[in-house]
Protein backbone atom coordinates (compact mmCIF):
# COMPACT_ATOMS: atom_id res chain seq x y z
CA UNK A 1 0.00 0.00 0.00
CA UNK A 2 1.13 3.50 -0.83
CA UNK A 3 -0.47 6.72 0.37
CA UNK A 4 0.28 9.87 -1.57
CA UNK A 5 -0.01 13.54 -0.61
CA UNK A 6 0.62 16.35 -3.09
CA UNK A 7 1.73 19.87 -2.32
CA UNK A 8 3.03 22.93 -4.12
CA UNK A 9 0.08 23.93 -6.23
CA UNK A 10 -1.15 27.49 -6.41
CA UNK A 11 -1.73 30.52 -8.56
CA UNK A 12 1.00 31.64 -10.94
CA UNK A 13 1.15 34.06 -13.83
CA UNK A 14 1.72 32.83 -17.34
CA UNK A 15 5.39 32.26 -17.97
CA UNK A 16 6.04 31.49 -14.33
CA UNK A 17 7.20 28.33 -12.59
CA UNK A 18 5.92 25.96 -9.93
CA UNK A 19 7.29 22.89 -8.26
CA UNK A 20 4.87 20.18 -7.21
CA UNK A 21 5.84 17.60 -4.64
CA UNK A 22 4.39 14.25 -3.73
CA UNK A 23 5.13 12.64 -0.39
CA UNK A 24 4.58 8.91 -0.16
CA UNK A 25 4.12 6.70 2.85
CA UNK A 26 4.96 3.04 2.86
CA UNK A 27 8.23 1.17 2.92
CA UNK A 28 7.89 -0.02 -0.67
CA UNK A 29 7.96 3.42 -2.29
CA UNK A 30 11.10 2.64 -4.27
CA UNK A 31 9.39 -0.31 -5.98
CA UNK A 32 6.81 1.84 -7.74
CA UNK A 33 6.75 3.89 -10.86
CA UNK A 34 5.62 7.35 -9.79
CA UNK A 35 3.93 9.91 -11.92
CA UNK A 36 1.63 12.86 -12.42
CA UNK A 37 -1.67 13.30 -14.15
CA UNK A 38 -3.76 16.40 -14.52
CA UNK A 39 -7.38 17.11 -15.14
CA UNK A 40 -8.88 20.39 -16.24
CA UNK A 41 -12.59 21.15 -15.86
CA UNK A 42 -14.62 19.36 -18.49
CA UNK A 43 -11.63 17.44 -19.83
CA UNK A 44 -10.31 13.92 -19.50
CA UNK A 45 -7.52 13.07 -17.13
CA UNK A 46 -4.22 13.53 -18.93
CA UNK A 47 -0.85 11.87 -18.41
CA UNK A 48 1.84 14.41 -17.52
CA UNK A 49 4.99 12.54 -16.56
CA UNK A 50 6.31 9.43 -14.84
CA UNK A 51 9.61 8.21 -13.44
CA UNK A 52 10.74 4.63 -12.89
CA UNK A 53 11.81 3.18 -9.56
CA UNK A 54 15.47 4.14 -10.06
CA UNK A 55 14.80 7.68 -11.21
CA UNK A 56 16.83 7.08 -14.35
CA UNK A 57 13.99 6.55 -16.83
CA UNK A 58 11.43 9.27 -17.30
CA UNK A 59 8.33 9.49 -19.46
CA UNK A 60 6.43 12.56 -20.52
CA UNK A 61 3.10 13.33 -22.05
CA UNK A 62 3.22 14.75 -25.53
CA UNK A 63 2.53 18.29 -24.42
CA UNK A 64 5.35 18.52 -21.90
CA UNK A 65 8.70 18.42 -23.73
CA UNK A 66 11.23 20.75 -22.23
CA UNK A 67 8.90 22.55 -19.82
CA UNK A 68 8.34 19.92 -17.14
CA UNK A 69 10.90 17.80 -15.31
CA UNK A 70 10.04 14.88 -13.07
CA UNK A 71 12.36 13.49 -10.41
CA UNK A 72 12.27 11.38 -7.27
CA UNK A 73 14.20 10.89 -4.08
CA UNK A 74 13.75 7.36 -2.77
CA UNK A 75 15.61 8.15 0.44
CA UNK A 76 12.97 10.76 1.28
CA UNK A 77 9.99 8.99 -0.31
CA UNK A 78 9.26 12.02 -2.43
CA UNK A 79 8.70 12.85 -6.06
CA UNK A 80 8.66 16.26 -7.70
CA UNK A 81 7.46 17.92 -10.87
CA UNK A 82 9.26 21.11 -11.81
CA UNK A 83 7.18 23.17 -14.20
CA UNK A 84 8.50 26.14 -16.19
CA UNK A 85 6.97 28.50 -18.73
CA UNK A 86 3.51 27.74 -17.46
CA UNK A 87 0.64 28.54 -19.76
CA UNK A 88 -3.04 29.11 -19.16
CA UNK A 89 -3.69 25.68 -20.67
CA UNK A 90 -1.71 24.09 -17.83
CA UNK A 91 -4.43 25.06 -15.38
CA UNK A 92 -5.75 21.86 -13.83
CA UNK A 93 -5.82 19.69 -10.75
CA UNK A 94 -2.58 17.74 -10.67
CA UNK A 95 -2.60 14.24 -9.21
CA UNK A 96 0.29 12.17 -7.96
CA UNK A 97 0.01 8.46 -8.73
CA UNK A 98 1.88 5.19 -8.25
CA UNK A 99 1.86 1.93 -10.14
CA UNK A 100 4.12 -0.99 -10.92
CA UNK A 101 4.26 -0.27 -14.65
CA UNK A 102 4.96 2.89 -16.67
CA UNK A 103 2.71 1.53 -19.40
CA UNK A 104 -0.37 1.99 -17.26
CA UNK A 105 0.48 5.66 -16.81
CA UNK A 106 0.68 6.25 -20.52
CA UNK A 107 -2.04 3.91 -21.80
CA UNK A 108 -4.42 2.77 -19.04
CA UNK A 109 -4.60 5.44 -16.37
CA UNK A 110 -7.84 4.04 -14.99
CA UNK A 111 -5.93 0.97 -13.82
CA UNK A 112 -3.37 2.94 -11.80
CA UNK A 113 -4.08 1.87 -8.22
CA UNK A 114 -2.69 4.64 -6.04
CA UNK A 115 -3.65 8.31 -6.17
CA UNK A 116 -3.21 11.44 -4.16
CA UNK A 117 -6.03 13.86 -3.49
CA UNK A 118 -4.82 16.38 -6.06
CA UNK A 119 -3.43 19.89 -5.94
CA UNK A 120 -4.78 22.82 -7.92
CA UNK A 121 -2.55 24.69 -10.35
CA UNK A 122 -4.01 27.87 -11.76
CA UNK A 123 -2.17 29.89 -14.40
CA UNK A 124 -3.41 33.41 -14.97
CA UNK A 125 -3.02 35.00 -18.37
Amino acid sequence: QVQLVESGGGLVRAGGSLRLSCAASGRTFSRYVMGWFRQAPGKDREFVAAVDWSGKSTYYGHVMPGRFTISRDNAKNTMSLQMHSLQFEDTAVYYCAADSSPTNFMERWSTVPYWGQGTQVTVSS
Side-chain angles (χ1 to χ4, degrees), residues 4-21:
L4 306 172
V5 179
E6 303 96 335
S7 61
L11 175 64
V12 63
R13 299 189 70 171
S17 300
L18 275 178
R19 185 178 181 90
L20 304 182
S21 295

Side-chain angles (χ1 to χ4, degrees), residues 44-107:
D44 291 336
R45 192 160 297 193
E46 178 184 28
F47 169 65
V48 175
V51 58
D52 77 344
W53 66 273
S54 71
K56 295 181 180 179
S57 293
T58 56
Y59 313 85
Y60 292 94
H62 70 283
V63 295
M64 308 306 153
R67 294 197 299 122
F68 291 7
T69 303
I70 190 170
S71 61
R72 68 188 293 166
D73 185 339
N74 288 340
K76 296 181 179 179
N77 279 15
T78 59
M79 175 189 62
S80 297
L81 183 70
Q82 180 67 54
M83 305 185 292
H84 295 295
S85 301
L86 285 163
Q87 304 166 4
F88 177 75
E89 293 72 23
D90 296 315
T91 296
V93 177
Y94 284 70
Y95 296 91
C96 172
D99 196 356
S100 58
S101 167
T103 301
N104 289 341
F105 280 90
M106 293 179 283
E107 300 180 5

